[in-house]
Amino acid sequence: MAASLGILDLQGGVHEHLDHLHRLGVPTVRVKKAGDLAGLCGLIIPGGESTCLARLLKIFDMERPILEAFRNGMKIWGTCAGAILVATENIGQAPHLGLVEVAVQRNAFGSQLDSFHCMATIPEVAREPIPLTFIRAPKIVRAGHGVNVLLRIDDYIAAAENEEVLVTVFHPELTPSLAFHRYFARKCGLQPAKATETSAYEHDWDRVSWMRHARIAG
């Protein structure tokens, strides 16, 4: 069986990530229990509500299995709330999984009304500017030893990684771009079937494509 990427399916933006990976031709698994982690080369912890996700990890006894899979080589990508869960420092609160040496500040931009969209150039990820969507996003305010900053905006870090973990405070799954999903798949040792890099934009996507996929996958 080909190696697969998993998406933690407890709360948050699961279907949107599924849609992006589906369009890349990457085998995916919806991770609801410890057994779903078997054989995964990577796991996406999606955006959502970090306090709720942390509580559900404990309720469903998923913390220990995720940490064990991580120690056995599974890579992790935390987006928005997921970035909070994998950080070693959560300002004003206790950290959760603590897998990458960054400090995060929750809800750093304000309320839902302060959400925004912009473009950024990230040479490691794509040749062209990438669309970014921030929704009640955290900020990465510090990066420690072994962490490579992929994107810095003004006074904060928006994307960073070490060898095992990728963190983004924005939502790549809410844009037409497959660039970050392609980048994470390759970080995990996969070669997506649809791996063209002529553009950060993919023209087979629309704002409800993930809803169609959700009905198929659900």
Side-chain angles (χ1 to χ4, degrees):
M1 180 182 292
S4 301
L5 295 183
I7 303 169
L8 185 66
D9 190 4
L10 299 180
Q11 190 262 345
V14 176
H15 294 301
E16 298 93 328
H17 282 291
L18 280 169
D19 176 67
H20 277 50
L21 293 174
H22 174 75
R23 290 187 298 118
L24 279 174
V26 173
T28 59
V29 174
R30 293 166 64 169
V31 176
K32 293 177 176 287
K33 58 185 185 301
D36 297 332
L37 294 165
L40 295 183
C41 58
L43 176 69
I44 297 173
I45 302 179
E49 209 294 312
S50 60
T51 303
C52 178
L53 275 169
R55 185 178 299 117
L56 290 171
L57 284 174
K58 294 183 182 298
I59 290 172
F60 289 96
D61 194 25
M62 288 293 290
E63 278 193 357
R64 179 184 52 80
I66 288 174
L67 291 172
E68 286 181 357
F70 177 74
R71 286 192 288 267
N72 288 330
M74 181 186 74
K75 300 187 188 301
I76 291 181
W77 175 16
T79 65
C80 198
I84 295 171
L85 293 184
V86 299
T88 55
E89 184 180 354
N90 184 7
I91 293 174
Q93 300 183 34
H96 301 290
L97 298 173
L99 302 179
V100 58
E101 196 172 325
V102 296
V104 295
Q105 179 183 350
R106 294 178 71 244
N107 296 335
F109 294 92
S111 72
Q112 191 89 0
L113 294 176
D114 298 300
S115 301
F116 65 96
H117 182 83
C118 67
M119 302 290 293
T121 300
I122 310 173
E124 294 93 335
V125 178
R127 297 172 184 171
E128 294 186 0
I130 300 172
L132 310 178
T133 297
F134 292 73
I135 301 176
R136 292 189 66 197
K139 288 181 178 180
I140 299 172
V141 296
R142 286 190 298 277
H145 178 72
V147 176
N148 176 40
V149 174
L150 295 171
L151 175 63
R152 187 183 296 274
I153 301 175
D154 299 329
D155 63 343
Y156 64 94
I157 297 165
E161 66 177 344
N162 61 18
E163 290 187 5
E164 296 83 23
V165 180
L166 173 66
V167 287
T168 56
V169 302
F170 45 86
H171 290 268
E173 76 281 8
L174 297 181
T175 77
S177 175
L178 298 180
F180 263 97
H181 290 79
R182 182 186 296 115
Y183 183 75
F184 182 64
R186 289 176 170 171
K187 185 179 181 74
C188 296
L190 301 179
Q191 284 298 326
K194 299 177 182 178
T196 62
E197 297 182 63
T198 56
S199 175
Y201 285 95
E202 307 296 332
H203 299 291
D204 61 340
W205 183 89
D206 59 57
R207 291 180 183 274
V208 295
S209 65
W210 67 270
M211 297 174 67
R212 292 197 299 271
H213 185 63
R215 288 195 291 270
I216 295 170

